[in-house]
Coordinates of all heavy atoms in Angstrom, one line a residue:
T110 N 15.1 177.4 82.7 CA 14.8 177.6 84.2 C 14.0 176.5 84.7 O 13.4 175.6 84.0 CB 13.9 178.9 84.3 OG1 12.7 178.7 83.8 CG2 14.6 180.1 83.8
A111 N 14.0 176.4 86.1 CA 13.2 175.4 86.8 C 11.8 175.5 86.4 O 11.1 174.5 86.2 CB 13.4 175.5 88.3
K112 N 11.2 176.7 86.3 CA 9.8 176.9 85.9 C 9.5 176.3 84.5 O 8.5 175.7 84.3 CB 9.4 178.3 86.0 CG 7.9 178.6 85.9 CD 7.2 177.9 87.1 CE 5.7 178.2 87.1 NZ 5.0 177.4 88.0
Q113 N 10.5 176.5 83.6 CA 10.3 175.9 82.3 C 10.2 174.4 82.3 O 9.4 173.8 81.6 CB 11.4 176.4 81.3 CG 11.3 177.8 80.9 CD 12.6 178.3 80.2 OE1 13.7 178.1 80.6 NE2 12.4 178.8 79.0
F114 N 11.0 173.8 83.1 CA 10.9 172.3 83.3 C 9.6 171.9 83.8 O 9.0 170.9 83.4 CB 12.1 171.8 84.2 CG 13.4 171.6 83.5 CD1 14.4 172.5 83.6 CD2 13.6 170.5 82.7 CE1 15.6 172.3 82.9 CE2 14.8 170.3 82.0 CZ 15.8 171.2 82.1
V115 N 9.1 172.6 84.9 CA 7.8 172.3 85.5 C 6.7 172.5 84.4 O 5.9 171.5 84.2 CB 7.5 173.2 86.7 CG1 6.1 172.9 87.2 CG2 8.6 172.9 87.8
N116 N 6.7 173.6 83.8 CA 5.7 173.8 82.8 C 5.7 172.8 81.6 O 4.7 172.3 81.2 CB 5.8 175.3 82.2 CG 5.4 176.3 83.2 OD1 4.8 176.0 84.3 ND2 5.8 177.5 83.0
D117 N 6.9 172.5 81.2 CA 7.0 171.5 80.1 C 6.5 170.1 80.5 O 5.8 169.4 79.7 CB 8.5 171.3 79.7 CG 9.0 172.6 78.9 OD1 8.2 173.4 78.5 OD2 10.2 172.6 78.7
A118 N 6.7 169.7 81.7 CA 6.3 168.4 82.2 C 4.7 168.4 82.3 O 4.1 167.5 81.9 CB 6.8 168.2 83.6
I119 N 4.2 169.5 82.8 CA 2.7 169.6 82.9 C 2.1 169.6 81.5 O 1.1 168.9 81.2 CB 2.3 170.9 83.6 CG1 2.8 170.8 85.1 CG2 0.8 171.1 83.6 CD1 2.7 172.1 85.8
V120 N 2.6 170.3 80.5 CA 2.1 170.4 79.2 C 2.2 169.0 78.5 O 1.2 168.6 77.9 CB 2.8 171.5 78.3 CG1 2.5 171.4 76.8 CG2 2.4 172.9 78.8
R121 N 3.3 168.4 78.7 CA 3.5 167.0 78.1 C 2.4 166.1 78.6 O 1.8 165.3 77.8 CB 4.9 166.4 78.4 CG 5.9 166.7 77.3 CD 7.2 165.9 77.4 NE 7.7 165.9 78.8 CZ 8.6 166.8 79.2 NH1 8.9 167.8 78.4 NH2 9.1 166.8 80.4
E122 N 2.2 166.1 79.9 CA 1.2 165.2 80.5 C -0.2 165.6 80.1 O -1.0 164.7 79.8 CB 1.3 165.2 82.0 CG 0.4 164.3 82.7 CD 0.8 162.8 82.5 OE1 1.9 162.5 82.1 OE2 -0.1 161.9 82.9
A123 N -0.4 166.9 80.0 CA -1.8 167.3 79.6 C -2.0 166.8 78.1 O -3.2 166.4 77.8 CB -1.9 168.8 79.6
K124 N -1.1 166.9 77.3 CA -1.2 166.5 75.9 C -1.6 165.0 75.8 O -2.4 164.5 75.0 CB 0.0 166.8 75.1 CG 0.1 168.3 74.7 CD 1.3 168.5 73.9 CE 1.4 170.0 73.4 NZ 2.6 170.2 72.6
V125 N -0.9 164.2 76.7 CA -1.2 162.8 76.7 C -2.6 162.5 77.2 O -3.4 161.7 76.7 CB -0.1 162.0 77.6 CG1 -0.6 160.6 77.9 CG2 1.2 162.1 77.0
L126 N -3.0 163.2 78.3 CA -4.3 163.0 78.9 C -5.4 163.5 78.0 O -6.5 162.9 78.0 CB -4.4 163.7 80.3 CG -3.5 163.1 81.4 CD1 -3.5 164.0 82.6 CD2 -3.8 161.7 81.7
L127 N -5.1 164.5 77.2 CA -6.2 165.0 76.3 C -6.4 164.0 75.1 O -7.5 164.1 74.5 CB -5.8 166.4 75.7 CG -5.9 167.5 76.7 CD1 -5.2 168.8 76.2 CD2 -7.4 167.8 76.9
Q128 N -5.6 163.0 75.0 CA -5.8 162.0 73.9 C -6.7 160.9 74.5 O -7.1 160.1 73.7 CB -4.5 161.5 73.5 CG -3.6 162.5 72.7 CD -2.3 161.9 72.4 OE1 -2.2 160.8 71.9 NE2 -1.2 162.7 72.5
E129 N -6.9 160.9 75.8 CA -7.8 159.9 76.4 C -9.2 160.4 76.5 O -9.4 161.6 76.3 CB -7.1 159.5 77.7 CG -5.8 158.9 77.6 CD -5.1 158.5 78.9 OE1 -5.8 158.3 79.9 OE2 -3.9 158.3 78.9
H130 N -10.1 159.5 76.9 CA -11.5 159.9 77.1 C -11.7 160.4 78.5 O -12.6 159.8 79.2 CB -12.4 158.7 76.7 CG -12.2 158.2 75.3 ND1 -12.7 159.0 74.2 CD2 -11.7 157.1 74.8 CE1 -12.4 158.4 73.1 NE2 -11.8 157.2 73.4
L131 N -11.0 161.4 78.8 CA -11.2 162.1 80.2 C -11.8 163.5 79.9 O -11.5 164.1 78.9 CB -9.9 162.2 80.9 CG -9.1 160.9 81.2 CD1 -7.7 161.2 81.6 CD2 -9.8 160.2 82.3
S132 N -12.6 163.9 80.9 CA -13.1 165.3 80.8 C -12.0 166.2 81.1 O -11.0 165.9 81.8 CB -14.3 165.5 81.8 OG -13.8 165.5 83.1
I133 N -12.1 167.4 80.6 CA -11.1 168.5 80.8 C -11.1 168.8 82.3 O -10.0 169.1 82.9 CB -11.3 169.7 79.9 CG1 -11.1 169.3 78.4 CG2 -10.5 170.9 80.3 CD1 -11.3 170.3 77.4
Q134 N -12.2 168.7 82.9 CA -12.3 168.9 84.4 C -11.5 167.9 85.1 O -10.7 168.2 86.0 CB -13.8 168.9 84.8 CG -13.9 169.2 86.3 CD -15.4 169.3 86.7 OE1 -16.3 169.0 86.0 NE2 -15.6 169.7 88.0
D135 N -11.6 166.6 84.7 CA -10.8 165.6 85.4 C -9.3 165.8 85.1 O -8.5 165.6 86.0 CB -11.2 164.2 84.8 CG -12.6 163.8 85.4 OD1 -13.1 164.3 86.4 OD2 -13.2 162.8 84.8
I136 N -9.0 166.1 83.9 CA -7.6 166.4 83.6 C -7.0 167.5 84.4 O -5.9 167.5 85.0 CB -7.4 166.6 82.1 CG1 -7.7 165.4 81.3 CG2 -6.0 167.1 81.8 CD1 -7.8 165.6 79.8
S137 N -7.8 168.6 84.5 CA -7.5 169.7 85.3 C -7.2 169.3 86.8 O -6.2 169.7 87.4 CB -8.6 170.8 85.3 OG -8.4 171.8 86.2
R138 N -8.1 168.5 87.3 CA -7.9 168.0 88.7 C -6.7 167.1 88.8 O -5.9 167.3 89.8 CB -9.2 167.3 89.1 CG -9.4 167.2 90.6 CD -10.7 166.6 91.0 NE -11.9 167.2 90.3 CZ -12.7 166.6 89.5 NH1 -12.6 165.3 89.3 NH2 -13.7 167.2 89.0
M139 N -6.5 166.2 87.9 CA -5.3 165.3 87.9 C -4.0 166.0 87.9 O -3.0 165.6 88.4 CB -5.4 164.3 86.7 CG -6.5 163.4 86.8 SD -6.8 162.5 85.2 CE -5.4 161.4 85.3
L140 N -4.0 167.2 87.2 CA -2.7 168.0 87.1 C -2.6 169.0 88.1 O -1.7 169.9 88.0 CB -2.6 168.6 85.7 CG -2.5 167.5 84.5 CD1 -2.5 168.2 83.2 CD2 -1.2 166.7 84.7
G141 N -3.4 169.0 89.1 CA -3.3 169.9 90.3 C -3.7 171.3 90.1 O -3.3 172.2 90.9
F142 N -4.6 171.6 89.2 CA -5.1 172.9 89.0 C -6.3 173.1 89.8 O -7.1 172.2 90.1 CB -5.4 173.2 87.5 CG -4.2 173.4 86.7 CD1 -3.6 172.3 86.1 CD2 -3.6 174.6 86.5 CE1 -2.4 172.4 85.3 CE2 -2.4 174.7 85.7 CZ -1.9 173.6 85.1
N143 N -6.5 174.4 90.3 CA -7.6 174.7 91.2 C -9.0 174.8 90.4 O -10.0 174.6 91.0 CB -7.4 176.0 91.9 CG -6.3 175.9 92.9 OD1 -6.1 174.9 93.5 ND2 -5.5 177.0 93.0
S144 N -8.9 175.0 89.1 CA -10.1 175.1 88.3 C -9.8 174.7 86.9 O -8.7 174.8 86.4 CB -10.7 176.5 88.4 OG -9.9 177.4 87.7
V145 N -10.9 174.5 86.1 CA -10.8 174.2 84.7 C -10.2 175.4 84.0 O -9.4 175.3 83.1 CB -12.1 173.7 84.1 CG1 -12.0 173.6 82.6 CG2 -12.5 172.4 84.7
Q146 N -10.7 176.6 84.5 CA -10.3 177.8 83.9 C -8.8 178.1 84.0 O -8.1 178.5 83.1 CB -11.0 179.0 84.5 CG -10.8 180.3 83.8 CD -11.2 180.3 82.3 OE1 -12.3 179.8 82.0 NE2 -10.4 180.9 81.4
D147 N -8.2 177.8 85.2 CA -6.8 177.9 85.4 C -6.0 177.0 84.5 O -5.0 177.3 83.9 CB -6.4 177.6 86.9 CG -6.9 178.6 87.9 OD1 -7.2 179.7 87.4 OD2 -6.8 178.3 89.1
F148 N -6.5 175.7 84.4 CA -5.8 174.7 83.5 C -5.9 175.2 82.0 O -4.9 175.2 81.3 CB -6.5 173.4 83.6 CG -6.0 172.4 82.6 CD1 -4.7 172.0 82.5 CD2 -6.9 171.9 81.6 CE1 -4.3 171.1 81.5 CE2 -6.5 171.0 80.6 CZ -5.2 170.6 80.6
S149 N -7.1 175.6 81.6 CA -7.3 176.1 80.2 C -6.4 177.3 79.9 O -5.8 177.3 78.9 CB -8.7 176.5 80.0 OG -9.5 175.3 80.1
N150 N -6.3 178.2 80.8 CA -5.4 179.4 80.6 C -4.0 179.0 80.5 O -3.2 179.4 79.7 CB -5.6 180.4 81.7 CG -6.9 181.1 81.7 OD1 -7.6 181.2 80.6 ND2 -7.4 181.7 82.8
F151 N -3.6 178.1 81.4 CA -2.2 177.6 81.4 C -1.9 176.9 80.1 O -0.9 177.1 79.5 CB -2.0 176.6 82.6 CG -0.6 175.9 82.5 CD1 0.5 176.4 83.1 CD2 -0.5 174.6 81.9 CE1 1.7 175.8 83.0 CE2 0.7 174.0 81.8 CZ 1.8 174.6 82.4
F152 N -2.8 176.0 79.7 CA -2.5 175.2 78.5 C -2.5 176.1 77.3 O -1.6 176.0 76.4 CB -3.6 174.1 78.3 CG -3.3 173.1 77.3 CD1 -2.5 172.0 77.6 CD2 -3.9 173.2 76.0 CE1 -2.2 171.1 76.6 CE2 -3.6 172.3 75.0 CZ -2.8 171.2 75.3

Side-chain angles (χ1 to χ4, degrees):
T110 65
K112 191 62 176 171
Q113 287 172 306
F114 276 102
V115 172
N116 291 343
D117 289 350
I119 296 167
V120 168
R121 268 193 310 275
E122 184 69 13
K124 286 180 174 182
V125 169
L126 294 173
L127 285 165
Q128 294 176 43
E129 298 180 16
H130 298 291
L131 298 167
S132 72
I133 292 175
Q134 183 175 8
D135 287 343
I136 294 170
S137 170
R138 204 173 306 119
M139 290 169 74
L140 294 177
F142 286 90
N143 293 325
S144 70
V145 172
Q146 187 63 42
D147 288 346
F148 168 66
S149 294
N150 289 340
F151 171 87
F152 192 82

